[in-house]
Amino acid sequence: MHVCLVAVSPALFAAPEVRIALPERCRLLTRQYFDLRVEAHGLTDTSASLTLRDELGNDLTSRFGPADEVTADNDPTPGDFDKSWVFRAESYPTEGIKTIIAEVRDTSGTSGNDTRKIGVQRFKTLVRPTNKKNLILFIGDAMGQNYRDAGRIVSRSTGGRFREGFFDDLLEMDRMPYLGMVMTHSLNALVPDSANTASAWATGNKTVNGALNAFPDNNDWRGTPAAQLDNPRFETLWSYLRRLHGYKTGIVTTAPVSDATPAAEGAYTIWRGQQDDIARQFVDGTFTSGPVFDVILGGGRRQFNSRFDQRDLLQELVSLGYTRVDDRTSLNALAQHEPPDRLIGLFHSDTMTVTYDKLGHLRPADESSTASSAFPDQPFLEEMTARALATLSKNGSPYILMVEGGSVDKQSHGNQAAGTIWDVIELDRAIGVGRNFARANPKRPTLVLATADHNQSMQVLGVVDSTVPGANGNVHAEDPYYYLPGSVGGFPDYEDDAATGYPRNDNRYRMAVGFRTHEHTASPVPLSAEGPGASLFTGVWDQTDLFFKMARVLDSDTTKLDRLEKERLKLQIVDQNYGE
Ligand SMILES: [Zn+2]
C-alpha cells in the first residue's frame, strides 16, 4: 500500500504534458487551411479541458472551437491518461506572426501548456481576374544535376553538336534564365523521399518521409488506415488556388497518379501507401467540394476502377463531366483548338512504360524492358502536357499544373541507366512544350519552373567505346567503381532518330555513368525558372520556400522585377557561335 502510493502520487500532482502538433517553422498563406491538433498526456483522467490563448493571454478557444474531434488513449503508453483535440480546416485571414498557447487543465487542478508560432504570408485577393498568372511546375523525380547533365550529353551531342568541348545546344530546362539550388531534407531524415519533398512545395511545410501534406501525431504507432488518415493537414496550393481564386488545376505524370509526387498536389495522409484513398480524395475532395483537379493524366488506373470499396472512380468522373481517354490514340485525337473542359486519362494500371521502351529501343543487357502488351499504346509526356495545357487554359482560365517525369527515379533505383536518361529527355521535351505554350499565350503570363524533388546517386563518368568487348557504360552500385572497361577519351556520338525526335542508342561512343547506391541522396537539386518573377528563384534555399515563392509570384505585380531581364540582355557577353 505504502509503496503503491509513493509510485502513484508524483503523477497525481505532475502537470499535464502538452504538445501542439505543428512542425518546426510552420508557415501558411492567409486563408490556407490547416488542422490544429493539441495532445496532452500525464492527465489524472480524460475529463481534462483545453484553453487556447494568444500571446497576450486572450482566450482564443471559441475562435477555433469547438474541437471537431476529441479522442483519448492515443499514445502507446499504457496506464497513462492522454487526450487530443483536433480543430479541422482552420485558417488566418491576416498576415503576420501568430502565436497559439495551448493550456490543458486536469481534475487535479494542475495545468500544462505549449506555445507555437506560425508565420502567415499574405496572399492578396486578385481583384482583376486578368492579373492572375499561370504556373507550370515540372518535376523530374530524382533529377539532380548529374541527371540533367546526362540528359544534355545524350540528347544534345547528336549530329556533331558537341565540338571541342562546346555544346551548341542546351536542354530546354538549361535555357531557362534563372537557376537556384533547393535543399530537400525531410522533417526526420537527411535523405528524403518523394512524399515529404512534394508536400514541402505543395503546402510550404516539412513532414516525415512517407507523408503527404499531413504531419505526425501520437496515434501513428497503430499503423491502421484510420490512424494514417486522421493526421493534421496543410492545404495544398492546388486546392487553395482552386477554392479561393478560380484556378483550374492539373497533374500529369508517367507514374501512377496516386503515387507520391502527383498525390501531393491534392491528397492528405501520413502514409503514401494509402493509394486507393488518395484516388478517392482526388474525386471526393478534401478542402474542395468535389474533385480537386480538372486534368489527371498518367498511370495508376487500378486505383480508380479496381478498388477495395468497389467504386468506379473513372465512371464517377465521367458522370461529373470529365472526358475520358485510355490510350495515346484517343488522347491525341482530342482537338487542340476545342479541348474538353475536364480530362481524365489513365494509360496503364500501374507505372507507365518508360520512354526508352515506348521508343522500342533495345535495352542494354543489364536492363529490363517495361513494355507492356496489355498497354501497347501509351502517350509520351510531351503529348500529355500539350493536352493538359489546352484543357486547363480553355476559356482563358488561370491554371496551375504539375508535370512529373516519374521514372527517372524508379529506373534509377534499379540502376537502369538507359531507362533513367531517356526519361530525363522525355521530361525535357515536355518542358519545351510548356515553354512554347507559355510564349504563345502571353496574355496571361506563365511562370515555368523545372526542378527535382530530390537527388539520386548517378554520376557521369566518361565515354566508352561500345565496340570494345566487355565495354561497360553503366557501373552499378555493386560493381567496382575504379575500372571502366572500354573507357576512351573524346566525346559521345549519339544520333537523333528522325522518326521519333529522340536520340538512338546504337552509336559507337556512349556516355558512361555509375551509380553509388540504389537510393536517394541528400544533395540539393537545381531549379530552373522562366517567366514572371523568375529571378526570385535564384540562390540556395529550402524546398518549403518554393511554396511561398510560387504564391508570392502569383499574387504580386512582378513588372519591375522582370525589367531586370531586359537589363541582363543588354549586358550579354560575346556570342561564342560567331558564324558557324
Ligand atoms: Zn525514389
Side-chain angles (χ1 to χ4, degrees), residues 136 138 385 389 429-439 446 448:
I136 314 173
F138 288 97
T385 303
L389 288 169
R429 289 169 63 93
I431 293 170
V433 168
R435 295 181 69 216
N436 285 334
F437 194 88
R439 273 194 295 265
T446 301
V448 182

Side-chain angles (χ1 to χ4, degrees), residues 141-142 193-194 272 409-410 413 454 456 519-520:
D141 202 305
D193 85 320
S194 291
R272 56 184 283 181
D409 182 65
K410 293 180 193 299
H413 277 296
H454 55 74
Q456 268 218 41
E519 295 304 329
H520 307 170

